[in-house]
Amino acid sequence: VKERRTRQLRAVYATVRDAVDHPTADEVHARVRRRMAAVSLGTVYRNLQKLAAQQHVRVLRLANRAARYDAIVEPHDHFVCERCGAVADVVRGERVPAGAAIHLTRAGYRVRSQELTFYGLCPRCGADRRSTRRRQGGS
Amino acid sequence: VKERRTRQLRAVYATVRDAVDHPTADEVHARVRRRMAAVSLGTVYRNLQKLAAQQHVRVLRLANRAARYDAIVEPHDHFVCERCGAVADVVRGERVPAGAAIHLTRAGYRVRSQELTFYGLCPRCGADRRSTRRRQGGS
DNA sequence: TTTTTTGCAAACCATTTGCAATTAG
DNA sequence: CTAATTGCAAATGGTTTGCAAAAAA
């Protein structure tokens, strides 16, 4: 007997899958709690890493402190707003620089994956520099 | 009166500048200590962030836990070995995907910087999968 | 002298872990 | 049944911070 499909696991996955804002473990925890009572943060972390190991979610470690989770596992990039912290998915407009990868491969490196992240200001924060709230609160 | 050029600040900067392995704050601390007695870790952190604010060093937050520091501030990418944790600089072989950036710009985002990181196995770890030490210890 | 910086230790925050009690299969 | 999972709380690891003493300018 192994690999159980617990209520908690399902809830954690559903939460990440339905989120559009790349929530942190804490945010996932808060959202899961709104649907079912008393799920511990530790359990959320454990399920999150289990899902990551199974490739059902991707872990994003951007400039920020806390890791963020993304249920879209297909290759794509991200944009991080340096003002409000929001993370957006970026459609890969053209193939990422094969040049560097080939360079590495020739030098004996085995490239397994790559991550491209853009930093700057999102439309809301870039528009005018006063009237923006710090975060789009994870309710 | 402001912005003092202390022995500690100089030592921290010199250490990062002379390093080729993108050391963590802890590693910088250890190396600084070899040159001058009793410098506290807190001071190393403070100086590191001061240098970062002045753009004299770049802070790298890769998949690992601890931040790493790089004295090369010109745009370039990195490769992270998933086995030994080593970080290597990558010469940007060809222009980074202008496509995605243009896409973002058109959508109202202001792109200020970008970071491309490759993950995989470095030559040493990829060669054979047994005889490799976990880290290239910072002597 | 005056103000920044340091050292130290405690505080913090995100994440992990040990263990007894639950629970899915 | 019984091994995997949970909840809880304590432990960890990286980084920050308050404060009095030390040292640049």
Side-chain angles (χ1 to χ4, degrees):
Chain A
V1 184
K2 62 179 176 182
E3 280 300 293
R4 291 183 186 177
R5 193 127 268 115
T6 62
R7 297 183 312 130
Q8 291 88 332
L9 208 227
R10 286 186 172 294
V12 168
Y13 179 58
T15 299
V16 178
R17 174 168 35 65
D18 300 345
V20 293
D21 60 344
H22 310 79
T24 61
D26 239 31
E27 291 167 343
V28 171
H29 182 222
R31 293 175 202 185
V32 166
R33 283 206 156 189
R34 283 212 298 284
R35 307 160 97 261
M36 65 196 285
V39 176
S40 76
L41 179 57
T43 293
V44 168
Y45 270 106
R46 277 183 291 226
N47 284 326
L48 244 14
Q49 53 181 44
K50 177 173 302 187
L51 290 166
Q54 295 167 171
Q55 311 271 64
H56 290 132
V57 304
R58 222 172 114 181
V59 185
L60 278 69
R61 288 189 188 278
L62 310 170
N64 320 298
R65 286 281 211 62
R68 286 172 174 281
Y69 299 84
D70 192 342
I72 299 178
V73 293
E74 289 74 49
H76 65 283
D77 309 312
H78 297 93
F79 174 92
V80 181
C81 179
E82 297 173 322
R83 189 143 184 264
C84 72
V87 175
D89 288 306
V90 176
V91 177
R92 194 165 286 182
E94 82 183 50
R95 285 232 48 73
V96 158
I102 288 171
H103 230 258
L104 283 165
T105 303
R106 285 216 191 96
Y109 289 85
R110 304 207 175 166
V111 180
R112 275 216 276 242
S113 65
Q114 52 185 241
E115 225 180 285
L116 174 60
T117 308
F118 296 91
Y119 295 90
L121 295 175
C122 69
R124 266 213 300 188
C125 292
D128 61 57
R129 53 198 13 160
R130 60 190 108 264
S131 67
T132 317
R133 33 193 185 315
R134 329 208 74 262
R135 266 181 178 287
Q136 72 280 61
S139 144
Chain B
V1 182
K2 60 177 177 179
E3 281 300 290
R4 292 183 185 177
R5 194 127 267 118
T6 63
R7 295 185 312 131
Q8 291 88 330
L9 208 227
R10 286 187 171 292
V12 168
Y13 179 59
T15 298
V16 178
R17 174 170 34 67
D18 299 346
V20 294
D21 60 345
H22 310 78
T24 61
D26 240 30
E27 291 168 343
V28 171
H29 182 222
R31 293 175 203 184
V32 166
R33 283 206 156 189
R34 285 213 296 286
R35 305 160 97 260
M36 64 196 284
V39 176
S40 77
L41 180 57
T43 294
V44 169
Y45 270 106
R46 276 182 293 228
N47 284 325
L48 244 14
Q49 53 182 42
K50 177 171 303 187
L51 290 166
Q54 294 168 173
Q55 311 269 64
H56 289 133
V57 304
R58 221 173 115 181
V59 184
L60 276 68
R61 286 187 190 281
L62 310 170
N64 320 297
R65 287 276 212 52
R68 286 173 173 281
Y69 299 85
D70 192 342
I72 301 178
V73 294
E74 289 76 48
H76 65 284
D77 308 312
H78 297 94
F79 174 92
V80 181
C81 179
E82 296 173 321
R83 188 143 184 265
C84 71
V87 175
D89 287 306
V90 175
V91 177
R92 195 165 282 183
E94 82 184 51
R95 293 216 48 70
V96 158
I102 289 170
H103 231 255
L104 283 165
T105 302
R106 286 217 189 95
Y109 289 84
R110 303 207 175 165
V111 180
R112 275 216 274 240
S113 65
Q114 54 185 237
E115 226 180 284
L116 174 59
T117 308
F118 295 91
Y119 294 90
L121 295 175
C122 69
R124 268 213 298 189
C125 291
D128 62 57
R129 52 199 14 161
R130 58 188 111 264
S131 68
T132 317
R133 37 192 182 310
R134 328 208 76 263
R135 268 181 176 286
Q136 72 279 60
S139 141

